[in-house]
Amino acid sequence: MSTTATLDQGVAPPGGRVVSFRRRLRAGDEVAYLITLIAAGTIFLITALVFYEVFSQSALSRHKFGWSFLITSVWDPVAGTFGALPFIYGTVVTSILGLLVAVPEGIGSAIFLSEMAPPRLSNACTFLIELLAAVPSVIYGLLGIFILVPILERHVVPPLKSAFGWLPIFQGPFYGVSLFSAGIVLSIMIVPFIVSVSREVLLAVPRDQREASLALGASQWQTTWRVVVPNASSGIVGSIFLALARALGETMAVTMVIGNTPQIKASLLAPGDSIASVIANQFTEATGDLYLSALIELGLVLFGVTFVLNGLARILIIATSRKGAHS
Amino acid sequence: MKMLACLKEPRGRIATAVAVAAMLAACPLHAQTSLTGAGATFPYPMYSKWFNQYHKAHPDVEINYQSIGSGGGIRQVTEGTVDFGASDGPMNDKQIAEFKQKRGCDILHFPTVLGADVPTYNVPGISADLNFTPEALAGIFLGRITKWNDPEIQKANPSVKLPNNDLIVVHRSEASGTTYVWVDYLSKVSPEWKQKVGVGTAVNWPVGLGGKGNEGVSGQIKQTPYSIGYVELVYAIQNHLQYGQVRNQSGSFVKAGLASVTAAAAGAAENMPDDFRVSITNAPGRAAYPIASFTWLLIPSKIQDATKRKALVDFLRWMLTSGQNDTAALSYAQLPKQVVAKEQKAILKIQ
């Protein structure tokens, strides 16, 4: 009750509001409001705190290199020259490659599981998919390097090279570890997020909508594609953002298959490096203030990259959904 | 959508890292005879065995060691959040000056065991141990030697027919003491390496792919025909990897092993400075393996707490005597006698 009293003083209420506040308190509304507010506030606070720490601790590197940090390609801890460009490139390319593979795959299987598969099969598959999401990323990395990379080397890259070898992105020698391998491993890792969330939102589309569409003479596929999917689109988009965020920040699995070579090559078959992976690789042994500061600034850059990519994805989606509405 | 924004992974991870760092910083400082240390990962199996055995023999002393990496060990001992640090590379003058300024006393280096790096490779059809000259190793890692049948490699292996295939270089992706020893050696034998690349726990590699950890490098080599890289000797022995012999200063090709590594330290012992901050790569002596290094405990010269000081000093004495007998079982090379004797004297500096 003492909390009530202090809270009441805070808002300096007339008698009537006290009664209503007490009633709301008893009914649980006010308690729920406060608890959820604290929960939401904590997340905001943590994000702000992390941003602040990363920003302030990277001061040394920010002052020394300025904006050129973002466009320099040399990462030389011995000479004390640090540039983030190859890491930004690797992070963006592998994440986009992962999304390119995972989005059609994930949405396709979510549509199948929610709209077409028999419920029993759907539930069994969903269970398996959620299991996939719980596999630690180091396991994906190991599977990647010992199983996926040899498969890519023997059965995927040779035909790709012979069919699309004229494209610069499929030229040059393939050592197994590469941006391409990292993108494929990422796509496997993020598919469960897309499938699991998309299936739930597809299932949540009201039955009336489907029935109305079918009653108007639409086929099942027309109903699914023109009625159910647009209805669930915001949830599906949400699942893609979640997947993108995971892909951008993935460390362990990426570092094991990306080759850890900070360079920018047009070919996807060349090794590269990513922001999260270089931080994990070098942070523990980093000596010297500037070196540490540069690594922390990479964290800040990852914040920025996530922000920009999320923003671009959002704009892309708004643009395409507007077009859809007009047609 | 709001919920989804909250779940974003990278932020969550960084937050976890911050929380872990906060916990590390809050390590217990004033438990009566509990010592905490942090640092190098390479000697961790040895240290954890030592600390465990020492605790069994002296139940009143407990030593807690976090293998967070050499850089972290140096930082934490400088900040005073641990009683001692551990590092695969000696602290440089700047770091020592910073330590003095922050803690008001000296930092002492105590070598504990020896490590070595070996060149490991995958050349289909060749089962013999290959010989490498220092020039060949430097040339390969500088990217100047690009074929296996380059004269520089071939002339050291007259009985082997080397293929005309491209060399693929593999190095460590993360900053590590193993890399430090490797590049320290290369910069001693190759002026070009020293000038172009230099020495550090991580460097700007002229060529090659990065593998994470010894297991990442050896896995990459196993899967990539015609590749070459370096791994820590203990790892190579325990995993039965094939590795080459390296020509030392006196011109003989030496295969790394516990004896040849100890011989390298013995060769370097004569000119050992009093603070033990010495690189023993390219050491003199016929039997000396040239790519070897000490790993050090970093101990402040003034320890206020008398019980802690006594516990640490007793442990060091034990480590230099009975402790050294346990090294071979874990494939670490033990310290030569000359170095042990010198360290016994240095222990007296701990006040």
Short mmCIF file of all heavy atoms in Angstrom, two decimals, chain B residues 83-108:
data_model
loop_
_atom_site.label_atom_id
_atom_site.label_comp_id
_atom_site.label_asym_id
_atom_site.label_seq_id
_atom_site.Cartn_x
_atom_site.Cartn_y
_atom_site.Cartn_z
N ASP B 83 45.53 -11.72 -9.24
CA ASP B 83 46.78 -11.73 -8.49
C ASP B 83 47.98 -11.93 -9.39
O ASP B 83 49.07 -11.47 -9.11
CB ASP B 83 46.75 -12.84 -7.44
CG ASP B 83 45.62 -12.62 -6.45
OD1 ASP B 83 45.49 -11.48 -5.98
OD2 ASP B 83 44.87 -13.56 -6.17
N PHE B 84 47.77 -12.69 -10.48
CA PHE B 84 48.87 -12.85 -11.43
C PHE B 84 48.29 -13.00 -12.83
O PHE B 84 47.14 -13.38 -13.00
CB PHE B 84 49.75 -14.06 -11.07
CG PHE B 84 49.04 -15.39 -11.14
CD1 PHE B 84 49.04 -16.14 -12.31
CD2 PHE B 84 48.35 -15.88 -10.03
CE1 PHE B 84 48.39 -17.36 -12.37
CE2 PHE B 84 47.69 -17.10 -10.10
CZ PHE B 84 47.71 -17.84 -11.26
N GLY B 85 49.12 -12.68 -13.81
CA GLY B 85 48.70 -12.84 -15.19
C GLY B 85 49.52 -13.93 -15.85
O GLY B 85 50.42 -14.52 -15.23
N ALA B 86 49.19 -14.23 -17.09
CA ALA B 86 49.97 -15.21 -17.83
C ALA B 86 49.93 -14.81 -19.29
O ALA B 86 48.91 -14.34 -19.77
CB ALA B 86 49.38 -16.61 -17.66
N SER B 87 51.08 -14.97 -19.96
CA SER B 87 51.13 -14.52 -21.35
C SER B 87 52.09 -15.38 -22.17
O SER B 87 53.08 -15.88 -21.65
CB SER B 87 51.56 -13.06 -21.40
OG SER B 87 51.72 -12.67 -22.74
N ASP B 88 51.75 -15.53 -23.44
CA ASP B 88 52.62 -16.27 -24.35
C ASP B 88 53.69 -15.36 -24.94
O ASP B 88 54.64 -15.84 -25.56
CB ASP B 88 51.82 -16.86 -25.52
CG ASP B 88 50.92 -17.98 -25.04
OD1 ASP B 88 51.21 -18.55 -23.98
OD2 ASP B 88 49.94 -18.27 -25.74
N GLY B 89 53.50 -14.06 -24.80
CA GLY B 89 54.52 -13.12 -25.28
C GLY B 89 54.90 -12.23 -24.11
O GLY B 89 54.05 -11.91 -23.29
N PRO B 90 56.17 -11.81 -24.00
CA PRO B 90 56.53 -10.94 -22.88
C PRO B 90 55.87 -9.57 -23.02
O PRO B 90 55.54 -9.15 -24.13
CB PRO B 90 58.05 -10.82 -23.00
CG PRO B 90 58.37 -11.15 -24.41
CD PRO B 90 57.30 -12.07 -24.90
N MET B 91 55.66 -8.89 -21.90
CA MET B 91 55.10 -7.54 -21.96
C MET B 91 56.15 -6.61 -22.57
O MET B 91 57.34 -6.76 -22.31
CB MET B 91 54.73 -7.06 -20.56
CG MET B 91 53.47 -7.70 -20.02
SD MET B 91 53.22 -7.44 -18.25
CE MET B 91 52.78 -5.71 -18.19
N ASN B 92 55.69 -5.65 -23.39
CA ASN B 92 56.67 -4.72 -23.96
C ASN B 92 56.93 -3.56 -23.01
O ASN B 92 56.26 -3.43 -21.98
CB ASN B 92 56.24 -4.25 -25.35
CG ASN B 92 54.91 -3.53 -25.32
OD1 ASN B 92 54.60 -2.86 -24.34
ND2 ASN B 92 54.12 -3.67 -26.37
N ASP B 93 57.91 -2.73 -23.35
CA ASP B 93 58.33 -1.68 -22.42
C ASP B 93 57.20 -0.72 -22.07
O ASP B 93 57.07 -0.27 -20.95
CB ASP B 93 59.51 -0.90 -23.02
CG ASP B 93 60.75 -1.77 -23.16
OD1 ASP B 93 60.79 -2.81 -22.46
OD2 ASP B 93 61.63 -1.44 -23.96
N LYS B 94 56.36 -0.46 -23.06
CA LYS B 94 55.26 0.47 -22.83
C LYS B 94 54.26 -0.12 -21.82
O LYS B 94 53.79 0.57 -20.92
CB LYS B 94 54.56 0.73 -24.17
CG LYS B 94 53.82 2.04 -24.22
CD LYS B 94 53.26 2.29 -25.61
CE LYS B 94 51.89 2.91 -25.49
NZ LYS B 94 51.00 2.54 -26.57
N GLN B 95 53.99 -1.42 -21.99
CA GLN B 95 53.07 -2.07 -21.06
C GLN B 95 53.65 -2.11 -19.66
O GLN B 95 52.93 -1.94 -18.67
CB GLN B 95 52.77 -3.50 -21.54
CG GLN B 95 51.89 -3.53 -22.78
CD GLN B 95 51.88 -4.90 -23.43
OE1 GLN B 95 52.82 -5.68 -23.32
NE2 GLN B 95 50.81 -5.20 -24.14
N ILE B 96 54.97 -2.32 -19.56
CA ILE B 96 55.60 -2.35 -18.24
C ILE B 96 55.55 -0.98 -17.58
O ILE B 96 55.26 -0.85 -16.39
CB ILE B 96 57.05 -2.86 -18.37
CG1 ILE B 96 57.00 -4.35 -18.71
CG2 ILE B 96 57.84 -2.62 -17.09
CD1 ILE B 96 58.34 -5.02 -18.81
N ALA B 97 55.78 0.06 -18.39
CA ALA B 97 55.70 1.42 -17.86
C ALA B 97 54.30 1.70 -17.34
O ALA B 97 54.12 2.29 -16.27
CB ALA B 97 56.08 2.42 -18.95
N GLU B 98 53.30 1.25 -18.09
CA GLU B 98 51.91 1.46 -17.67
C GLU B 98 51.64 0.72 -16.36
O GLU B 98 50.97 1.23 -15.46
CB GLU B 98 50.97 0.96 -18.77
CG GLU B 98 49.55 1.45 -18.58
CD GLU B 98 48.59 0.79 -19.57
OE1 GLU B 98 49.04 0.38 -20.65
OE2 GLU B 98 47.40 0.68 -19.23
N PHE B 99 52.19 -0.50 -16.27
CA PHE B 99 52.00 -1.29 -15.04
C PHE B 99 52.59 -0.55 -13.86
O PHE B 99 51.97 -0.41 -12.81
CB PHE B 99 52.65 -2.67 -15.21
CG PHE B 99 52.45 -3.56 -14.02
CD1 PHE B 99 51.36 -4.42 -13.97
CD2 PHE B 99 53.32 -3.54 -12.95
CE1 PHE B 99 51.15 -5.23 -12.88
CE2 PHE B 99 53.13 -4.35 -11.85
CZ PHE B 99 52.04 -5.20 -11.81
N LYS B 100 53.83 -0.05 -14.03
CA LYS B 100 54.52 0.66 -12.94
C LYS B 100 53.71 1.85 -12.48
O LYS B 100 53.55 2.11 -11.30
CB LYS B 100 55.89 1.13 -13.42
CG LYS B 100 56.97 0.11 -13.17
CD LYS B 100 58.33 0.72 -13.45
CE LYS B 100 59.39 -0.37 -13.45
NZ LYS B 100 60.54 -0.03 -14.26
N GLN B 101 53.18 2.57 -13.47
CA GLN B 101 52.46 3.78 -13.16
C GLN B 101 51.17 3.47 -12.41
O GLN B 101 50.80 4.15 -11.46
CB GLN B 101 52.16 4.51 -14.47
CG GLN B 101 51.54 5.86 -14.29
CD GLN B 101 50.62 6.17 -15.45
OE1 GLN B 101 50.81 5.67 -16.56
NE2 GLN B 101 49.61 6.96 -15.20
N LYS B 102 50.51 2.38 -12.79
CA LYS B 102 49.23 2.05 -12.17
C LYS B 102 49.39 1.34 -10.84
O LYS B 102 48.60 1.53 -9.92
CB LYS B 102 48.40 1.16 -13.10
CG LYS B 102 47.68 1.97 -14.16
CD LYS B 102 46.55 1.19 -14.79
CE LYS B 102 45.82 2.08 -15.77
NZ LYS B 102 45.21 1.38 -16.87
N ARG B 103 50.39 0.46 -10.72
CA ARG B 103 50.49 -0.38 -9.53
C ARG B 103 51.65 0.02 -8.62
O ARG B 103 51.75 -0.50 -7.50
CB ARG B 103 50.65 -1.84 -9.95
CG ARG B 103 49.54 -2.37 -10.86
CD ARG B 103 48.25 -2.62 -10.10
NE ARG B 103 48.43 -3.52 -8.99
CZ ARG B 103 48.44 -4.84 -9.11
NH1 ARG B 103 48.27 -5.41 -10.27
NH2 ARG B 103 48.60 -5.60 -8.04
N GLY B 104 52.53 0.85 -9.08
CA GLY B 104 53.62 1.32 -8.23
C GLY B 104 54.67 0.27 -7.91
O GLY B 104 55.37 0.37 -6.90
N CYS B 105 54.78 -0.79 -8.72
CA CYS B 105 55.85 -1.75 -8.51
C CYS B 105 56.19 -2.39 -9.85
O CYS B 105 55.58 -2.09 -10.86
CB CYS B 105 55.44 -2.82 -7.50
SG CYS B 105 54.06 -3.84 -8.02
N ASP B 106 57.19 -3.27 -9.84
CA ASP B 106 57.60 -3.92 -11.08
C ASP B 106 56.70 -5.11 -11.37
O ASP B 106 56.04 -5.64 -10.48
CB ASP B 106 59.04 -4.43 -10.94
CG ASP B 106 60.03 -3.38 -11.39
OD1 ASP B 106 59.72 -2.71 -12.40
OD2 ASP B 106 61.08 -3.23 -10.74
N ILE B 107 56.76 -5.56 -12.63
CA ILE B 107 56.11 -6.82 -12.97
C ILE B 107 57.21 -7.81 -13.31
O ILE B 107 58.15 -7.48 -14.03
CB ILE B 107 55.12 -6.63 -14.14
CG1 ILE B 107 54.38 -7.93 -14.47
CG2 ILE B 107 55.77 -6.10 -15.40
CD1 ILE B 107 53.17 -8.17 -13.63
N LEU B 108 57.13 -9.02 -12.73
CA LEU B 108 58.17 -10.01 -12.97
C LEU B 108 57.65 -11.10 -13.91
O LEU B 108 56.51 -11.52 -13.80
CB LEU B 108 58.59 -10.65 -11.64
CG LEU B 108 59.08 -9.67 -10.58
CD1 LEU B 108 59.28 -10.40 -9.25
CD2 LEU B 108 60.38 -9.01 -11.01
#
